[in-house]
């Protein structure tokens, strides 16, 4: 049996006539009648009663018709899925997110827009740290990851920079500088610094310590947080202060105030990582969408900074 036999069977059943079915199938009527007869012989059943005008399904034909339609539907679903995968608008997309990344407004906004644009793509998420996400990419447990570079074991990975996220100082409520606006790192030099283990994000970890050194002091390390987002509750508990990505200020944790950092201020770099040369068109489409969105976001941030500086100058006393 071939799929064309099922198409012929369904067409004749739908039209009740070999002639009309043949016209729909763009073939001659005699070959269609012959194909149906061969199909019946192969199955060992009679599908149609041949009438003076047209045909009528037998009881067996009527019982088999829904299954024939189901098989053809599966065929079309298979073809649609294959073509969708080739175009990059169907398939499964497993996205890995480094610590605190889901809190950055750009990321969920871009993902939501992507899902709206490509509703037949099945997008799932896994939040972890950069080393674990690198391992997940190598083991093909995720297809693309938004990480905090540098990325370990990146010889087989393609890493595309996204942008540098601003950072803020997190202070416990009641702190001497809690009512201040921007805070210089030197103002917290004597405070225990709550930070995450270096192996979870060496790039951001080193950027924080380097900024402290540039501000003229070596930080006194306090309680170690198990992950980036966990620093905020520890600050709220009064165990010290911390330097965190600005997106963490959205946690709105009670007992914590967030402050812009006067220069020198570390940046929390973000990048996209995928397996080099081994990703699907859907992954390529997602990477392009995220890079375009991040470029727009960075441009918007630059405009905000320029506007802020201009407004500051105009308000300075002469």
């Amino acid at each position: 049996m071939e799929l064309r036999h099922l198409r012929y069977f369904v067409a004749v059943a739908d039209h009740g006539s070999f002639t009309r079915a043949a016209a729909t199938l763009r073939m001659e009527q005699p070959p269609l009648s012959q194909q149906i007869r061969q199909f019946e012989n192969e199955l060992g059943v009679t599908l149609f009663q041949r009438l003076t005008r047209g045909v009528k399904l037998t009881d067996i034909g009527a019982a088999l018709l829904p299954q024939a339609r189901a098989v053809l539907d599966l065929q079309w679903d298979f073809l649609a899925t294959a073509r969708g995968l080739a175009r990059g608008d169907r398939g499964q997309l497993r996205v890995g997110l480094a610590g605190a990344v889901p809190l950055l407004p750009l990321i969920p906004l871009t993902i939501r827009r992507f899902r709206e644009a490509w509703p037949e793509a099945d997008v799932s998420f896994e939040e972890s740290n950069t080393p674990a996400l690198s391992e997940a990419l190598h083991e093909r447990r995720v297809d693309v990851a938004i990480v905090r570079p540098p990325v370990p074991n990146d010889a087989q990975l393609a890493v595309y920079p996204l942008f540098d996220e601003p950072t803020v100082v997190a202070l416990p409520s009641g702190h001497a500088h809690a009512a201040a606006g921007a805070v210089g790192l030197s103002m917290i030099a004597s405070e225990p610094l709550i930070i995450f283990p270096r192996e979870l994000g060496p790039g951001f970890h080193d950027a924080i310590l380097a900024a402290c050194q540039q501000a003229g002091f070596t930080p006194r390390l306090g309680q170690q947080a198990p992950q980036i987002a966990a620093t905020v509750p520890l600050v709220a508990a009064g165990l010290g202060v911390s330097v965190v990505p600005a997106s963490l200020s959205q946690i709105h944790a009670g007992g914590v105030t967030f402050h812009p950092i006067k220069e020198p201020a570390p940046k929390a770099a973000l990048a996209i990582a995928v397996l080099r040369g081994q990703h699907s068109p859907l992954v390529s489409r997602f990477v392009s969408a995220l890079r375009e969105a991040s470029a727009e976001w960075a441009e918007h941030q630059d405009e905000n900074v320029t506007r802020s500086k201009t407004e500051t100058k105009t308000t300075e006393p002469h």
Side-chain angles (χ1 to χ4, degrees):
M1 184 185 73
E2 299 181 16
L3 288 174
R4 61 185 174 86
H5 290 139
L6 295 179
R7 291 197 298 272
Y8 297 161
F9 169 42
V10 170
V12 175
D14 286 344
H15 291 281
S17 163
F18 283 113
T19 302
R20 290 193 292 271
T24 300
L25 294 167
R26 297 184 180 181
M27 61 187 299
E28 297 296 325
Q29 183 270 327
L32 175 60
S33 298
Q34 184 179 10
Q35 289 291 322
I36 292 295
R37 182 67 70 184
Q38 290 177 354
F39 188 36
E40 289 176 320
N41 290 338
E42 184 176 349
L43 296 176
V45 301
T46 300
L47 299 172
F48 297 102
Q49 294 179 14
R50 276 69 173 175
L51 307 175
T52 303
R53 293 186 177 182
V55 296
K56 179 182 177 182
L57 281 168
T58 63
D59 290 344
I60 292 177
L64 291 175
L65 182 60
Q67 295 187 43
R69 293 190 193 279
V71 171
L72 292 176
D73 286 344
L74 286 174
Q75 177 200 16
W76 288 114
D77 286 345
F78 178 85
L79 291 174
T81 299
R83 291 164 182 163
L85 289 170
R87 291 191 303 267
D89 55 21
R90 277 197 182 198
Q92 184 181 33
L93 182 67
R94 299 163 299 178
V95 182
L97 304 173
V101 166
L103 295 172
L104 190 65
L106 169 70
I107 303 303
L109 176 63
T110 302
I111 291 172
R112 182 168 68 249
R113 287 178 177 174
F114 183 84
R115 296 183 71 174
E116 290 172 352
W118 313 108
E120 294 182 331
D122 181 16
V123 186
S124 59
F125 307 96
E126 174 182 331
E127 186 175 1
S128 188
N129 55 69
T130 294
L133 291 175
S134 173
E135 183 179 348
L137 283 168
H138 284 287
E139 295 178 356
R140 300 178 184 270
R141 290 185 282 109
V142 297
D143 304 300
V144 56
I146 303 173
V147 296
R148 299 190 182 278
V151 181
N153 304 318
D154 64 349
Q156 296 180 341
L157 300 179
V159 181
Y160 307 100
L162 276 178
F163 54 84
D164 292 337
E165 182 185 0
T167 56
V168 294
V169 167
L171 301 176
S173 296
H175 189 278
H177 302 303
V183 171
L185 292 179
S186 59
M187 296 166 64
I188 59 171
S190 62
E191 306 280 352
L193 181 67
I194 299 172
I195 197 168
F196 52 91
R198 185 178 185 276
E199 58 267 21
L200 298 187
F204 185 34
H205 186 282
D206 292 350
I208 294 172
L209 299 187
C212 292
Q213 293 284 351
Q214 192 175 351
F217 70 99
T218 298
R220 179 162 63 92
L221 299 184
Q223 177 72 43
Q224 192 174 70
Q227 55 185 338
I228 294 177
T231 57
V232 175
L234 295 178
V235 172
L239 299 178
V241 301
S242 188
V243 176
V244 299
S247 54
L248 278 184
S249 62
Q250 296 185 85
I251 292 180
H252 300 301
V256 179
T257 59
F258 297 95
H259 305 264
I261 303 175
K262 297 177 182 179
E263 296 296 334
K267 299 293 185 181
L270 289 175
I272 307 174
V274 295
L275 271 179
R276 192 181 301 277
Q278 299 183 41
H279 47 273
S280 69
L282 182 62
V283 171
S284 297
R285 192 185 294 278
F286 180 76
V287 170
S288 297
L290 195 53
R291 295 181 74 184
E292 290 173 7
S294 67
E296 294 174 2
W297 183 86
E299 182 178 352
H300 179 68
Q301 292 298 109
D302 289 342
E303 291 175 355
N304 287 344
V305 170
T306 301
R307 186 181 304 112
S308 177
K309 290 180 178 179
T310 302
E311 291 173 351
T312 300
K313 288 180 180 180
T314 58
T315 57
E316 288 177 350
H318 297 283

